[in-house]
Amino acid sequence: MRSTHSGYTRLSKVHKFSAAGLTAAAATTVVFAAVSGGTASAADAHAVKPVAWSAGSFGETQQDELAKQVDAAAKQAKADAAAKKADAGVKAKAEQERASRSEARKPMKPAAAAKPAAKPAAPAKKAYADNLDGWIRQSLDILHAKGVPASYEGIKRNVMRESTGNPRAINDWDVNAVNGVPSKGLLQIIDPTFKAYHVEGTSWDIWDPVANITASCNYAADKYGSMDNVNSAY
């Protein structure tokens, strides 16, 4: 079926503007020819300037506008990409800082407990010679530790008088011997007196030289103030 629309009505707006321009140009040419008495030549007809707004120039304007839009879109995309990259860098830096702070907040392992200081070694036991000099010196250390007065010279003097330094000496002729309790040892002490004045830390054997000297000096300190004050039988 034939369309009821004319060919003109099917033209786009651009084409319509172009057609109108051409029609106006043609009309102008005709008018100019009539005024000139029909003497104008074909060259004169072509000298008439066409209208400025033609379909071609309109198309070029559209192309320029499209190019501008494409260029603007490219620039915007580039700016968006740069902003996204910068934002990613900021986020990465912030994440690194958070990780560093988290690492810094980790509790430190407690330091290993210090080993307790070793107990000081017990002082080495003092050694004494196994002779009269060693017996007297050992007895003096014990007596002084107990606060009992005595001196090396006072002890040795009385030992030499009573037993001449013999730890096994015994008196079997005096009154004590008659009574059954003879004097014994370096300082000639009888058993009851030895037991009564025995000093803790020494042997309970009356024949032990250190125990004999220590008990005898303890008795002399009680009765005479010190073995130093004894110059005869006591």
Side-chain angles (χ1 to χ4, degrees):
M1 182 176 178
R2 179 177 293 181
S3 173
T4 57
H5 297 284
S6 67
Y8 179 78
T9 58
R10 289 197 300 269
L11 292 176
S12 67
K13 182 182 292 188
V14 173
H15 292 161
K16 287 179 181 180
F17 284 142
S18 298
L22 292 173
T23 301
T28 302
T29 303
V30 171
V31 171
F32 180 78
V35 171
S36 301
T39 61
S41 65
D44 293 334
H46 288 297
V48 177
K49 293 181 180 181
V51 294
W53 193 14
S54 66
S57 63
F58 184 78
E60 290 176 0
T61 302
Q62 279 189 322
Q63 291 296 326
D64 291 342
E65 184 64 25
L66 182 59
K68 289 179 181 180
Q69 290 180 0
V70 170
D71 185 57
K75 289 181 178 179
Q76 185 61 41
K78 186 175 181 180
D80 291 344
K84 186 175 181 181
K85 184 177 180 181
D87 185 58
V90 170
K91 289 182 178 179
K93 185 176 181 180
E95 186 64 27
Q96 186 177 7
E97 290 178 353
R98 281 196 296 272
S100 297
R101 289 194 296 270
S102 177
E103 185 68 23
R105 286 195 297 267
K106 285 184 179 180
M108 296 180 66
K109 292 183 179 180
K115 294 182 179 180
K119 294 181 179 179
K125 190 174 180 180
K126 190 174 180 179
Y128 301 94
D130 189 22
N131 54 31
L132 180 59
D133 178 74
W135 301 331
I136 294 175
R137 293 185 185 282
Q138 185 175 356
S139 180
L140 277 172
D141 285 345
I142 297 171
L143 289 168
H144 292 164
K146 301 295 184 180
V148 179
S151 71
Y152 184 93
E153 293 300 328
I155 294 172
K156 186 174 183 180
R157 184 181 70 248
N158 282 284
V159 165
M160 296 308 292
R161 186 188 67 251
E162 296 289 337
S163 65
T164 65
N166 178 12
R168 304 302 297 181
I170 185 171
N171 185 325
D172 55 4
W173 53 266
D174 65 4
V175 67
N176 290 322
V178 172
N179 292 331
V181 283
S183 300
K184 301 175 181 177
L186 290 174
L187 284 170
Q188 293 293 285
I189 189 170
I190 61 176
D191 287 323
T193 303
F194 174 80
K195 292 177 182 178
Y197 287 93
H198 172 265
V199 176
E200 185 180 358
T202 62
S203 171
W204 281 94
D205 182 4
I206 196 172
W207 297 107
D208 180 88
V210 175
N212 189 284
I213 293 172
T214 307
S216 299
C217 287
N218 192 27
Y219 167 76
D222 181 48
K223 298 301 182 181
Y224 307 103
S226 172
M227 182 61 76
D228 296 350
N229 299 328
V230 178
N231 296 300
S232 61
Y234 61 104

